[in-house]
Amino acid sequence: MTSPAPGVQAPPEARFRLRRIAGRAGASFADDVRRGLTASPKFLLAKYFYDELGSRLFEAITALPEYHVTRAETELLTAHAGEIAAALAGPVRLVELGSGDGRKTRLLIDALLAGQKTLDYLPIDVSESTLARSAEELTADYPGVSVLGYVADYHDALAALAGAAERRRGERTLVLFLGSTIGNLNPDGQLALLRSARAMLAPGDGFLLGTDLRKPLAELLPAYDDALGVTAAFNLNLLLRIDRELGGDFDVRAFRHLARYDEVDHRIEMHLMSRTAQRVRIAALDLAVDLAAGETIWTESSYKFSLEQVAGLAAGAGFRLARTWTDAAQRFGSHLLLAG
Ligand code: SAH
Ligand code: AVI
């Protein structure tokens, strides 16, 4: 990225670029839907929740009284963004995995801009609409920020970034993975992702990881099965997306949102349960899918962490866990991992 001459700020639209990367991890929606609905048990990948409507529904979830995750992390970043920024010998560029609406990112941008005039921000997200919206808002609100957004799966974007020569001399990289989105990967995937992030970092760089912590079921379950039914809508929208984009004939009323907690693996599971025996057709796949009454399609896992487990993950990926902050109620952990 190039910066304007000192004292001259480029207009917002000149400070915002998008790069689309279709790589190894980015198999098509159609291929992944076929694979998931012909498997036993049936599943769909959680990354497909985030079309335009799904991303809006997730943003609504973050405002729900039952969903503690976003509020707890916002509380932590509000209190500690200054310390996090100070832990890296700047200037710093920010890379963010699954950036979403980028609201919490602003807390870190504010802290970093207290010590440097300009900032390169590289958000990575599969949702192009969300990425474009948040980047437009950011560049309009922060004259010192330039955005290069990657519309891509995390792994593909990290591989592209590892090979890119876009880093300024002497600049540190801070990777953000907020919201406990790492918990939507299975344990092998969590480690693999941290390892590929570590591989693109140099000594002195950092990785800020947000993890939701294990807590009593009475608090956890309603966060994934709220009274207003917003999480149910978020889950069911995946079927509507198949109808919209692949010519499916799913009737969402014939399915029920199900959230449960697996006490052994420490994960929330979201499923869509077929209310009746039914056959669904998906025109673009030339596929008919039979579902028994009560059969479920597994759509998401959301792993919940212990502090020891995070320390093990960090070490296993080659990071040093420099600091963990938790909120007073021990709901959430923000962990600063350092490379080297
Ligand atoms: N970081 C934000 C948003 C979390 S929602 C927060 O903490 O509130 C998860 C985000 O990750 C969504 O914007 C979704 O589109 C994105 N996402 C999910 N799976 C992804 C993947 N495999 N690769 C890239 N982005 C992904
Ligand atoms: C993005 N991710 C961390 C959310 C979570 O809590 O697992 C997605 C979500 N699913 C249902 N509600 C929110």
Side-chain angles (χ1 to χ4, degrees), residues 47 50 58 96 98-100 104 125-127 152-154 178-179 181:
K47 70 174 174 181
Y50 302 91
F58 175 73
E96 181 164 13
S99 47
K104 286 171 293 185
D125 206 294
V126 282
S127 170
D153 193 278
Y154 315 126
L178 305 182
T181 306

Side-chain angles (χ1 to χ4, degrees), residues 54-71:
S55 296
R56 298 275 190 185
L57 287 167
F58 175 73
E59 285 165 36
I61 287 174
T62 65
L64 291 171
E66 295 97 332
Y67 195 72
H68 56 277
V69 175
T70 310
R71 267 187 303 280

Side-chain angles (χ1 to χ4, degrees), residues 301-321:
S301 295
S302 190
Y303 284 83
K304 304 301 165 187
F305 295 85
S306 67
L307 296 180
E308 300 69 39
Q309 191 188 354
V310 175
L313 262 177
F319 283 105
R320 181 167 73 78
L321 177 55

Side-chain angles (χ1 to χ4, degrees), residues 23 47 70 86 144 151 167 176 178 184 333:
K47 70 174 174 181
T70 310
V151 183
R167 184 199 283 243
L176 309 178
L178 305 182
N184 297 136

